[in-house]
Amino acid sequence: MTVEIIGTGRAIPLRRVTNEELAGKIDTSDGWIRSHTGIGSRHIADDDTAASDLGAAAALEALKLAVERGAAAEKTAAELALTVDLIVVGSTTQDFFGHPATACIVQHKLGAVNAAAMDITQACSGFIYGIETAAALLKTDPRRRRALVIGTEVLSRIVNWEDRRNCVLFGDGAGAVLLEKTGEDSAEAPVSSGPGPAHTGRRGLLRTVLGADGSGWEYLMIRRGGSRNPWKKGEIVDTVPAIEMNGHAVYNFAVKVITETIEKMLKEERISAADLDLIVPHQANARIVQAAAKRLKIPEEKFYLNIEEYANTSSASIPIALDELNRSGGLRRGSLVMTVGFGAGLTYGGNLIRW
Ligand code: ACO
């Protein structure tokens, strides 16, 4: 049984904010941002746009592409949406605090009335966790065949725009993939263990690594608003709930877990980096990727980076990159691609996929 990606999509807000524009508002410069992060611009959603709007738009593009490319028998995206059994949304900027799940709103927008819907709040690791969750849920029930996995963020809403250490890093956007289960049930090993399906040329999701180090929960967080620190009646609130980050601690964690996750997947799969066509990392900071590449002695060109255009879009960064590659021919049938990322929690992981 395999779980393959049969459609990809993305939704990027039109408004593009360059480093120069930011430098006109806060004490920063294009030179500092580029040299410390590789970021040149970010896209910012308008005031009326929430995570479900971008997420549904990206998912619709994924459905349309699957129809266009003849990957499904259905003739329209709306018909295909009716065949989706599960919607998993990774987001750290859900439409509403606590509930309802943003995935339910996406389900409604798409008319995907037959789909179960759930959110995953692993921040930047949300898409990697989401792919594995969706694939596992497709595999455990013969009635489930198709799932949408979406990463969608409006991070501009939870950024303190006066904090230059932080606000220059983030952007808004969404990416989505449509997964389809093919083949029969079998007694094969679960995707996360056992040696090397990459050797067989088998397509789809071949392997996933997931991990967390909860001791670092405080390094990347939104402190106010939950049951630990609720807003209190009568309290005068003069700031938005905003991302707080220990940049150095997150940087060190990121380089370590990206390096270890890539090594682990290559080792378990008994392949080398040369066997991979591409590595698609979470786009948080180009320097993190460069440091991991150096440690692993993998050429930087093997890593796909689009952070210059979009900045860090958290759970959306990997599916946005996958969609760009899928549409541009950077990923073709048979390409072997590895995703790898990290995020609040602290969490990390990676997926190995034969396109
Ligand atoms: N413009 C100009 N100067 C700046 C800016 C800015 N935007 N930001 C910081 N500086 C200054 C600082 O004030 C400091 O000046 P000082 O020495 O006079 O105090 C100097 O630049 C160096 O600051 P550092 O914080 O040491 O810069 P560093 O090189 O470590 O880069 C960064 C900071 C980019 C945040 C880095 O630590 C990093 O990328 N960390 C990981 C971030 C990350 O990946 N987060 C994931 C979030 S995703 C999620 O799950 C939501």
PDB file of all heavy atoms in Angstrom, residues 252-286:
ATOM      1  N   ASN A 252      20.506  26.880  17.436  1.00  0.00           N
ATOM      2  CA  ASN A 252      21.353  25.714  17.747  1.00  0.00           C
ATOM      3  C   ASN A 252      20.564  24.410  17.665  1.00  0.00           C
ATOM      4  O   ASN A 252      21.044  23.412  17.134  1.00  0.00           O
ATOM      5  CB  ASN A 252      21.967  25.869  19.152  1.00  0.00           C
ATOM      6  CG  ASN A 252      22.969  27.010  19.178  1.00  0.00           C
ATOM      7  OD1 ASN A 252      23.538  27.360  18.143  1.00  0.00           O
ATOM      8  ND2 ASN A 252      23.169  27.607  20.348  1.00  0.00           N
ATOM      9  N   PHE A 253      19.342  24.438  18.202  1.00  0.00           N
ATOM     10  CA  PHE A 253      18.482  23.248  18.129  1.00  0.00           C
ATOM     11  C   PHE A 253      18.241  22.873  16.661  1.00  0.00           C
ATOM     12  O   PHE A 253      18.336  21.705  16.273  1.00  0.00           O
ATOM     13  CB  PHE A 253      17.151  23.545  18.829  1.00  0.00           C
ATOM     14  CG  PHE A 253      16.118  22.460  18.682  1.00  0.00           C
ATOM     15  CD1 PHE A 253      16.154  21.328  19.491  1.00  0.00           C
ATOM     16  CD2 PHE A 253      15.108  22.566  17.731  1.00  0.00           C
ATOM     17  CE1 PHE A 253      15.201  20.326  19.354  1.00  0.00           C
ATOM     18  CE2 PHE A 253      14.147  21.573  17.589  1.00  0.00           C
ATOM     19  CZ  PHE A 253      14.192  20.449  18.402  1.00  0.00           C
ATOM     20  N   ALA A 254      17.949  23.903  15.853  1.00  0.00           N
ATOM     21  CA  ALA A 254      17.586  23.647  14.456  1.00  0.00           C
ATOM     22  C   ALA A 254      18.730  22.983  13.692  1.00  0.00           C
ATOM     23  O   ALA A 254      18.522  21.984  12.988  1.00  0.00           O
ATOM     24  CB  ALA A 254      17.187  24.960  13.779  1.00  0.00           C
ATOM     25  N   VAL A 255      19.924  23.523  13.845  1.00  0.00           N
ATOM     26  CA  VAL A 255      21.058  22.953  13.108  1.00  0.00           C
ATOM     27  C   VAL A 255      21.271  21.497  13.546  1.00  0.00           C
ATOM     28  O   VAL A 255      21.478  20.598  12.723  1.00  0.00           O
ATOM     29  CB  VAL A 255      22.341  23.790  13.338  1.00  0.00           C
ATOM     30  CG1 VAL A 255      23.541  23.118  12.675  1.00  0.00           C
ATOM     31  CG2 VAL A 255      22.150  25.208  12.793  1.00  0.00           C
ATOM     32  N   LYS A 256      21.158  21.260  14.855  1.00  0.00           N
ATOM     33  CA  LYS A 256      21.377  19.900  15.393  1.00  0.00           C
ATOM     34  C   LYS A 256      20.328  18.922  14.849  1.00  0.00           C
ATOM     35  O   LYS A 256      20.679  17.871  14.320  1.00  0.00           O
ATOM     36  CB  LYS A 256      21.311  19.977  16.924  1.00  0.00           C
ATOM     37  CG  LYS A 256      21.472  18.658  17.630  1.00  0.00           C
ATOM     38  CD  LYS A 256      21.556  18.901  19.142  1.00  0.00           C
ATOM     39  CE  LYS A 256      21.561  17.625  19.937  1.00  0.00           C
ATOM     40  NZ  LYS A 256      20.295  16.910  19.942  1.00  0.00           N
ATOM     41  N   VAL A 257      19.053  19.285  14.967  1.00  0.00           N
ATOM     42  CA  VAL A 257      18.023  18.291  14.592  1.00  0.00           C
ATOM     43  C   VAL A 257      17.900  18.120  13.078  1.00  0.00           C
ATOM     44  O   VAL A 257      17.582  17.030  12.610  1.00  0.00           O
ATOM     45  CB  VAL A 257      16.630  18.578  15.220  1.00  0.00           C
ATOM     46  CG1 VAL A 257      16.694  18.461  16.725  1.00  0.00           C
ATOM     47  CG2 VAL A 257      16.054  19.903  14.776  1.00  0.00           C
ATOM     48  N   ILE A 258      18.178  19.170  12.332  1.00  0.00           N
ATOM     49  CA  ILE A 258      18.150  19.006  10.864  1.00  0.00           C
ATOM     50  C   ILE A 258      19.250  18.029  10.460  1.00  0.00           C
ATOM     51  O   ILE A 258      19.028  17.097   9.681  1.00  0.00           O
ATOM     52  CB  ILE A 258      18.325  20.370  10.148  1.00  0.00           C
ATOM     53  CG1 ILE A 258      17.036  21.175  10.278  1.00  0.00           C
ATOM     54  CG2 ILE A 258      18.662  20.181   8.675  1.00  0.00           C
ATOM     55  CD1 ILE A 258      17.070  22.513   9.607  1.00  0.00           C
ATOM     56  N   THR A 259      20.432  18.233  11.022  1.00  0.00           N
ATOM     57  CA  THR A 259      21.551  17.348  10.715  1.00  0.00           C
ATOM     58  C   THR A 259      21.218  15.909  11.109  1.00  0.00           C
ATOM     59  O   THR A 259      21.359  14.971  10.304  1.00  0.00           O
ATOM     60  CB  THR A 259      22.817  17.821  11.481  1.00  0.00           C
ATOM     61  OG1 THR A 259      23.011  19.196  11.214  1.00  0.00           O
ATOM     62  CG2 THR A 259      24.037  17.045  11.069  1.00  0.00           C
ATOM     63  N   GLU A 260      20.739  15.734  12.342  1.00  0.00           N
ATOM     64  CA  GLU A 260      20.473  14.375  12.838  1.00  0.00           C
ATOM     65  C   GLU A 260      19.331  13.700  12.076  1.00  0.00           C
ATOM     66  O   GLU A 260      19.365  12.502  11.825  1.00  0.00           O
ATOM     67  CB  GLU A 260      20.141  14.423  14.335  1.00  0.00           C
ATOM     68  CG  GLU A 260      21.372  14.722  15.176  1.00  0.00           C
ATOM     69  CD  GLU A 260      21.047  14.941  16.661  1.00  0.00           C
ATOM     70  OE1 GLU A 260      19.859  14.857  17.058  1.00  0.00           O
ATOM     71  OE2 GLU A 260      21.986  15.203  17.414  1.00  0.00           O
ATOM     72  N   THR A 261      18.301  14.481  11.744  1.00  0.00           N
ATOM     73  CA  THR A 261      17.140  13.887  11.055  1.00  0.00           C
ATOM     74  C   THR A 261      17.528  13.408   9.660  1.00  0.00           C
ATOM     75  O   THR A 261      17.136  12.314   9.234  1.00  0.00           O
ATOM     76  CB  THR A 261      15.977  14.909  10.987  1.00  0.00           C
ATOM     77  OG1 THR A 261      15.638  15.292  12.311  1.00  0.00           O
ATOM     78  CG2 THR A 261      14.757  14.325  10.305  1.00  0.00           C
ATOM     79  N   ILE A 262      18.303  14.228   8.950  1.00  0.00           N
ATOM     80  CA  ILE A 262      18.744  13.806   7.608  1.00  0.00           C
ATOM     81  C   ILE A 262      19.606  12.547   7.726  1.00  0.00           C
ATOM     82  O   ILE A 262      19.399  11.562   7.004  1.00  0.00           O
ATOM     83  CB  ILE A 262      19.511  14.948   6.898  1.00  0.00           C
ATOM     84  CG1 ILE A 262      18.548  16.104   6.594  1.00  0.00           C
ATOM     85  CG2 ILE A 262      20.172  14.434   5.622  1.00  0.00           C
ATOM     86  CD1 ILE A 262      19.213  17.351   6.046  1.00  0.00           C
ATOM     87  N   GLU A 263      20.548  12.577   8.676  1.00  0.00           N
ATOM     88  CA  GLU A 263      21.433  11.408   8.851  1.00  0.00           C
ATOM     89  C   GLU A 263      20.634  10.158   9.169  1.00  0.00           C
ATOM     90  O   GLU A 263      20.868   9.076   8.635  1.00  0.00           O
ATOM     91  CB  GLU A 263      22.413  11.674  10.018  1.00  0.00           C
ATOM     92  CG  GLU A 263      23.683  12.347   9.565  1.00  0.00           C
ATOM     93  CD  GLU A 263      24.588  12.720  10.731  1.00  0.00           C
ATOM     94  OE1 GLU A 263      24.086  12.806  11.878  1.00  0.00           O
ATOM     95  OE2 GLU A 263      25.785  12.935  10.472  1.00  0.00           O
ATOM     96  N   LYS A 264      19.650  10.316  10.068  1.00  0.00           N
ATOM     97  CA  LYS A 264      18.851   9.167  10.508  1.00  0.00           C
ATOM     98  C   LYS A 264      18.059   8.566   9.330  1.00  0.00           C
ATOM     99  O   LYS A 264      18.043   7.354   9.136  1.00  0.00           O
ATOM    100  CB  LYS A 264      17.892   9.628  11.612  1.00  0.00           C
ATOM    101  CG  LYS A 264      17.142   8.521  12.334  1.00  0.00           C
ATOM    102  CD  LYS A 264      16.380   9.174  13.487  1.00  0.00           C
ATOM    103  CE  LYS A 264      15.242   8.369  14.006  1.00  0.00           C
ATOM    104  NZ  LYS A 264      15.535   7.211  14.768  1.00  0.00           N
ATOM    105  N   MET A 265      17.438   9.433   8.549  1.00  0.00           N
ATOM    106  CA  MET A 265      16.639   8.905   7.439  1.00  0.00           C
ATOM    107  C   MET A 265      17.524   8.229   6.396  1.00  0.00           C
ATOM    108  O   MET A 265      17.173   7.181   5.862  1.00  0.00           O
ATOM    109  CB  MET A 265      15.783  10.010   6.823  1.00  0.00           C
ATOM    110  CG  MET A 265      14.518  10.241   7.633  1.00  0.00           C
ATOM    111  SD  MET A 265      13.220  11.085   6.716  1.00  0.00           S
ATOM    112  CE  MET A 265      13.834  12.725   6.778  1.00  0.00           C
ATOM    113  N   LEU A 266      18.671   8.833   6.120  1.00  0.00           N
ATOM    114  CA  LEU A 266      19.580   8.218   5.133  1.00  0.00           C
ATOM    115  C   LEU A 266      20.059   6.860   5.643  1.00  0.00           C
ATOM    116  O   LEU A 266      20.100   5.878   4.900  1.00  0.00           O
ATOM    117  CB  LEU A 266      20.792   9.127   4.880  1.00  0.00           C
ATOM    118  CG  LEU A 266      20.514  10.458   4.173  1.00  0.00           C
ATOM    119  CD1 LEU A 266      21.797  11.280   4.072  1.00  0.00           C
ATOM    120  CD2 LEU A 266      19.924  10.228   2.774  1.00  0.00           C
ATOM    121  N   LYS A 267      20.395   6.823   6.942  1.00  0.00           N
ATOM    122  CA  LYS A 267      20.928   5.582   7.517  1.00  0.00           C
ATOM    123  C   LYS A 267      19.865   4.488   7.519  1.00  0.00           C
ATOM    124  O   LYS A 267      20.110   3.363   7.077  1.00  0.00           O
ATOM    125  CB  LYS A 267      21.412   5.875   8.941  1.00  0.00           C
ATOM    126  CG  LYS A 267      22.180   4.742   9.552  1.00  0.00           C
ATOM    127  CD  LYS A 267      22.858   5.175  10.837  1.00  0.00           C
ATOM    128  CE  LYS A 267      23.408   3.929  11.518  1.00  0.00           C
ATOM    129  NZ  LYS A 267      23.172   3.911  12.936  1.00  0.00           N
ATOM    130  N   GLU A 268      18.673   4.832   8.031  1.00  0.00           N
ATOM    131  CA  GLU A 268      17.603   3.828   8.096  1.00  0.00           C
ATOM    132  C   GLU A 268      17.248   3.314   6.707  1.00  0.00           C
ATOM    133  O   GLU A 268      16.891   2.150   6.528  1.00  0.00           O
ATOM    134  CB  GLU A 268      16.354   4.442   8.734  1.00  0.00           C
ATOM    135  CG  GLU A 268      16.472   4.625  10.230  1.00  0.00           C
ATOM    136  CD  GLU A 268      15.197   5.219  10.849  1.00  0.00           C
ATOM    137  OE1 GLU A 268      14.271   5.620  10.101  1.00  0.00           O
ATOM    138  OE2 GLU A 268      15.150   5.294  12.071  1.00  0.00           O
ATOM    139  N   GLU A 269      17.358   4.194   5.735  1.00  0.00           N
ATOM    140  CA  GLU A 269      16.961   3.835   4.375  1.00  0.00           C
ATOM    141  C   GLU A 269      18.106   3.171   3.614  1.00  0.00           C
ATOM    142  O   GLU A 269      17.906   2.627   2.527  1.00  0.00           O
ATOM    143  CB  GLU A 269      16.528   5.126   3.661  1.00  0.00           C
ATOM    144  CG  GLU A 269      15.690   4.943   2.447  1.00  0.00           C
ATOM    145  CD  GLU A 269      14.346   4.302   2.722  1.00  0.00           C
ATOM    146  OE1 GLU A 269      13.838   4.413   3.843  1.00  0.00           O
ATOM    147  OE2 GLU A 269      13.833   3.655   1.796  1.00  0.00           O
ATOM    148  N   ARG A 270      19.284   3.246   4.197  1.00  0.00           N
ATOM    149  CA  ARG A 270      20.515   2.726   3.574  1.00  0.00           C
ATOM    150  C   ARG A 270      20.748   3.347   2.211  1.00  0.00           C
ATOM    151  O   ARG A 270      20.978   2.658   1.210  1.00  0.00           O
ATOM    152  CB  ARG A 270      20.481   1.198   3.488  1.00  0.00           C
ATOM    153  CG  ARG A 270      20.483   0.581   4.872  1.00  0.00           C
ATOM    154  CD  ARG A 270      20.433  -0.909   4.848  1.00  0.00           C
ATOM    155  NE  ARG A 270      19.861  -1.424   6.075  1.00  0.00           N
ATOM    156  CZ  ARG A 270      19.368  -2.624   6.214  1.00  0.00           C
ATOM    157  NH1 ARG A 270      19.344  -3.471   5.210  1.00  0.00           N
ATOM    158  NH2 ARG A 270      18.876  -3.023   7.378  1.00  0.00           N
ATOM    159  N   ILE A 271      20.662   4.660   2.193  1.00  0.00           N
ATOM    160  CA  ILE A 271      20.999   5.408   0.988  1.00  0.00           C
ATOM    161  C   ILE A 271      21.947   6.532   1.383  1.00  0.00           C
ATOM    162  O   ILE A 271      22.145   6.784   2.576  1.00  0.00           O
ATOM    163  CB  ILE A 271      19.748   6.000   0.285  1.00  0.00           C
ATOM    164  CG1 ILE A 271      18.943   6.887   1.252  1.00  0.00           C
ATOM    165  CG2 ILE A 271      18.876   4.915  -0.312  1.00  0.00           C
ATOM    166  CD1 ILE A 271      17.788   7.622   0.600  1.00  0.00           C
ATOM    167  N   SER A 272      22.519   7.204   0.380  1.00  0.00           N
ATOM    168  CA  SER A 272      23.366   8.363   0.687  1.00  0.00           C
ATOM    169  C   SER A 272      22.688   9.615   0.151  1.00  0.00           C
ATOM    170  O   SER A 272      21.736   9.522  -0.638  1.00  0.00           O
ATOM    171  CB  SER A 272      24.749   8.189   0.043  1.00  0.00           C
ATOM    172  OG  SER A 272      24.632   8.426  -1.341  1.00  0.00           O
ATOM    173  N   ALA A 273      23.234  10.762   0.541  1.00  0.00           N
ATOM    174  CA  ALA A 273      22.645  12.026   0.088  1.00  0.00           C
ATOM    175  C   ALA A 273      22.648  12.114  -1.434  1.00  0.00           C
ATOM    176  O   ALA A 273      21.777  12.742  -2.037  1.00  0.00           O
ATOM    177  CB  ALA A 273      23.407  13.188   0.700  1.00  0.00           C
ATOM    178  N   ALA A 274      23.625  11.449  -2.056  1.00  0.00           N
ATOM    179  CA  ALA A 274      23.715  11.494  -3.525  1.00  0.00           C
ATOM    180  C   ALA A 274      22.491  10.833  -4.175  1.00  0.00           C
ATOM    181  O   ALA A 274      22.157  11.131  -5.321  1.00  0.00           O
ATOM    182  CB  ALA A 274      24.990  10.804  -3.984  1.00  0.00           C
ATOM    183  N   ASP A 275      21.826   9.937  -3.445  1.00  0.00           N
ATOM    184  CA  ASP A 275      20.625   9.283  -3.995  1.00  0.00           C
ATOM    185  C   ASP A 275      19.412  10.211  -4.006  1.00  0.00           C
ATOM    186  O   ASP A 275      18.413   9.924  -4.667  1.00  0.00           O
ATOM    187  CB  ASP A 275      20.272   8.028  -3.176  1.00  0.00           C
ATOM    188  CG  ASP A 275      21.355   6.962  -3.292  1.00  0.00           C
ATOM    189  OD1 ASP A 275      21.779   6.697  -4.425  1.00  0.00           O
ATOM    190  OD2 ASP A 275      21.774   6.429  -2.249  1.00  0.00           O
ATOM    191  N   LEU A 276      19.492  11.288  -3.216  1.00  0.00           N
ATOM    192  CA  LEU A 276      18.357  12.219  -3.142  1.00  0.00           C
ATOM    193  C   LEU A 276      18.416  13.205  -4.300  1.00  0.00           C
ATOM    194  O   LEU A 276      19.491  13.704  -4.640  1.00  0.00           O
ATOM    195  CB  LEU A 276      18.408  13.027  -1.833  1.00  0.00           C
ATOM    196  CG  LEU A 276      18.317  12.248  -0.530  1.00  0.00           C
ATOM    197  CD1 LEU A 276      18.583  13.196   0.650  1.00  0.00           C
ATOM    198  CD2 LEU A 276      16.936  11.620  -0.386  1.00  0.00           C
ATOM    199  N   ASP A 277      17.263  13.496  -4.878  1.00  0.00           N
ATOM    200  CA  ASP A 277      17.241  14.551  -5.888  1.00  0.00           C
ATOM    201  C   ASP A 277      17.238  15.918  -5.222  1.00  0.00           C
ATOM    202  O   ASP A 277      17.853  16.849  -5.707  1.00  0.00           O
ATOM    203  CB  ASP A 277      16.010  14.385  -6.787  1.00  0.00           C
ATOM    204  CG  ASP A 277      16.144  13.152  -7.659  1.00  0.00           C
ATOM    205  OD1 ASP A 277      16.959  13.205  -8.593  1.00  0.00           O
ATOM    206  OD2 ASP A 277      15.494  12.130  -7.366  1.00  0.00           O
ATOM    207  N   LEU A 278      16.519  16.026  -4.114  1.00  0.00           N
ATOM    208  CA  LEU A 278      16.395  17.321  -3.445  1.00  0.00           C
ATOM    209  C   LEU A 278      16.085  17.137  -1.963  1.00  0.00           C
ATOM    210  O   LEU A 278      15.412  16.169  -1.581  1.00  0.00           O
ATOM    211  CB  LEU A 278      15.223  18.112  -4.023  1.00  0.00           C
ATOM    212  CG  LEU A 278      15.459  19.119  -5.151  1.00  0.00           C
ATOM    213  CD1 LEU A 278      14.131  19.776  -5.479  1.00  0.00           C
ATOM    214  CD2 LEU A 278      16.486  20.186  -4.760  1.00  0.00           C
ATOM    215  N   ILE A 279      16.545  18.093  -1.165  1.00  0.00           N
ATOM    216  CA  ILE A 279      16.090  18.193   0.220  1.00  0.00           C
ATOM    217  C   ILE A 279      15.302  19.501   0.316  1.00  0.00           C
ATOM    218  O   ILE A 279      15.793  20.556  -0.105  1.00  0.00           O
ATOM    219  CB  ILE A 279      17.270  18.203   1.208  1.00  0.00           C
ATOM    220  CG1 ILE A 279      18.089  16.913   1.057  1.00  0.00           C
ATOM    221  CG2 ILE A 279      16.769  18.371   2.646  1.00  0.00           C
ATOM    222  CD1 ILE A 279      19.371  16.882   1.869  1.00  0.00           C
ATOM    223  N   VAL A 280      14.088  19.415   0.828  1.00  0.00           N
ATOM    224  CA  VAL A 280      13.261  20.621   0.996  1.00  0.00           C
ATOM    225  C   VAL A 280      13.172  20.908   2.495  1.00  0.00           C
ATOM    226  O   VAL A 280      12.406  20.269   3.217  1.00  0.00           O
ATOM    227  CB  VAL A 280      11.849  20.426   0.398  1.00  0.00           C
ATOM    228  CG1 VAL A 280      10.990  21.662   0.642  1.00  0.00           C
ATOM    229  CG2 VAL A 280      11.951  20.149  -1.101  1.00  0.00           C
ATOM    230  N   PRO A 281      13.988  21.851   2.976  1.00  0.00           N
ATOM    231  CA  PRO A 281      13.980  22.143   4.415  1.00  0.00           C
ATOM    232  C   PRO A 281      12.916  23.174   4.764  1.00  0.00           C
ATOM    233  O   PRO A 281      12.507  23.963   3.899  1.00  0.00           O
ATOM    234  CB  PRO A 281      15.368  22.733   4.638  1.00  0.00           C
ATOM    235  CG  PRO A 281      15.676  23.438   3.353  1.00  0.00           C
ATOM    236  CD  PRO A 281      14.978  22.659   2.250  1.00  0.00           C
ATOM    237  N   HIS A 282      12.499  23.181   6.013  1.00  0.00           N
ATOM    238  CA  HIS A 282      11.692  24.294   6.507  1.00  0.00           C
ATOM    239  C   HIS A 282      12.506  25.567   6.323  1.00  0.00           C
ATOM    240  O   HIS A 282      13.699  25.611   6.624  1.00  0.00           O
ATOM    241  CB  HIS A 282      11.337  24.075   7.978  1.00  0.00           C
ATOM    242  CG  HIS A 282      10.777  25.303   8.628  1.00  0.00           C
ATOM    243  ND1 HIS A 282       9.780  26.054   8.041  1.00  0.00           N
ATOM    244  CD2 HIS A 282      11.109  25.945   9.781  1.00  0.00           C
ATOM    245  CE1 HIS A 282       9.505  27.084   8.814  1.00  0.00           C
ATOM    246  NE2 HIS A 282      10.291  27.045   9.870  1.00  0.00           N
ATOM    247  N   GLN A 283      11.828  26.617   5.819  1.00  0.00           N
ATOM    248  CA  GLN A 283      12.554  27.836   5.459  1.00  0.00           C
ATOM    249  C   GLN A 283      12.474  28.826   6.624  1.00  0.00           C
ATOM    250  O   GLN A 283      11.579  29.665   6.668  1.00  0.00           O
ATOM    251  CB  GLN A 283      11.930  28.451   4.208  1.00  0.00           C
ATOM    252  CG  GLN A 283      11.602  27.466   3.110  1.00  0.00           C
ATOM    253  CD  GLN A 283      12.765  27.158   2.189  1.00  0.00           C
ATOM    254  OE1 GLN A 283      13.512  28.063   1.846  1.00  0.00           O
ATOM    255  NE2 GLN A 283      12.925  25.902   1.792  1.00  0.00           N
ATOM    256  N   ALA A 284      13.383  28.684   7.586  1.00  0.00           N
ATOM    257  CA  ALA A 284      13.382  29.599   8.730  1.00  0.00           C
ATOM    258  C   ALA A 284      14.525  30.589   8.629  1.00  0.00           C
ATOM    259  O   ALA A 284      14.380  31.766   8.970  1.00  0.00           O
ATOM    260  CB  ALA A 284      13.490  28.830  10.037  1.00  0.00           C
ATOM    261  N   ASN A 285      15.678  30.093   8.192  1.00  0.00           N
ATOM    262  CA  ASN A 285      16.860  30.939   8.090  1.00  0.00           C
ATOM    263  C   ASN A 285      17.838  30.199   7.180  1.00  0.00           C
ATOM    264  O   ASN A 285      18.215  29.061   7.471  1.00  0.00           O
ATOM    265  CB  ASN A 285      17.453  31.149   9.488  1.00  0.00           C
ATOM    266  CG  ASN A 285      18.631  32.118   9.464  1.00  0.00           C
ATOM    267  OD1 ASN A 285      19.301  32.267   8.441  1.00  0.00           O
ATOM    268  ND2 ASN A 285      18.868  32.770  10.585  1.00  0.00           N
ATOM    269  N   ALA A 286      18.256  30.852   6.101  1.00  0.00           N
ATOM    270  CA  ALA A 286      19.168  30.196   5.151  1.00  0.00           C
ATOM    271  C   ALA A 286      20.459  29.768   5.850  1.00  0.00           C
ATOM    272  O   ALA A 286      21.066  28.753   5.488  1.00  0.00           O
ATOM    273  CB  ALA A 286      19.471  31.126   3.989  1.00  0.00           C
TER     274      ALA A 286
END
